[in-house]
Amino acid sequence: MLLSTTDIVVGKEIVETIGLVKGNSVQSRNIGRDMMAGLRNIVGGEMKEYAEMLVRSREIATQDMEEDARRLGANAIVGIRFSTSSVMDGTSEVLAYGTAVRVKE
């Protein structure tokens, strides 16, 4: 599956636009991560626990989006975007979305 944040795939011709595809992941914090992040919040520094959680969420959302595109018969996704939001206290959602297309092989 070819993935692109632009509306084209350089060197490939888009022969069919299939439609919107998306994937999402909702992750919650846990007490161990919260304690470590709380300490870093006091002394300063990168909150690696949360960064790792968001990386994992992006990967899951991207995989779900790719599966959605495959089900529709696409071999590429263009115009990919990511969005994050807080669903409720202590949880975050990562949404990945783009346009499923078929490119000439």
Side-chain angles (χ1 to χ4, degrees):
M1 180 72 58
L2 295 171
L3 304 176
S4 175
T5 58
T6 63
D7 293 331
I8 62 169
V9 178
V10 176
K12 300 284 186 179
E13 178 187 354
I14 294 176
V15 294
E16 182 182 1
T17 298
I18 297 170
L20 176 69
V21 289
K22 60 196 172 310
N24 72 316
S25 173
V26 177
Q27 299 278 320
S28 64
R29 302 182 307 200
N30 72 33
I31 192 110
R33 271 189 272 193
D34 283 351
M35 285 191 290
M36 291 303 295
L39 290 173
R40 281 202 186 82
N41 195 32
I42 294 169
V43 298
E46 181 183 2
M47 294 187 171
K48 293 179 183 178
E49 297 81 13
Y50 293 141
E52 290 168 3
M53 181 179 73
L54 287 172
V55 166
R56 191 170 56 256
S57 287
R58 263 193 312 276
E59 290 170 351
I60 292 168
T62 300
Q63 289 170 358
D64 288 351
M65 178 181 62
E66 287 182 59
E67 288 174 18
D68 195 16
R70 279 190 193 89
R71 277 192 298 274
L72 296 173
N75 62 359
I77 305 170
V78 296
I80 294 173
R81 302 290 182 265
F82 293 92
S83 175
T84 60
S85 63
S86 177
V87 176
M88 58 186 256
D89 189 37
T91 63
S92 295
E93 176 189 37
V94 174
L95 172 67
Y97 60 96
T99 302
V101 297
R102 194 167 298 120
V103 297
K104 190 182 283 186
E105 303 266 345

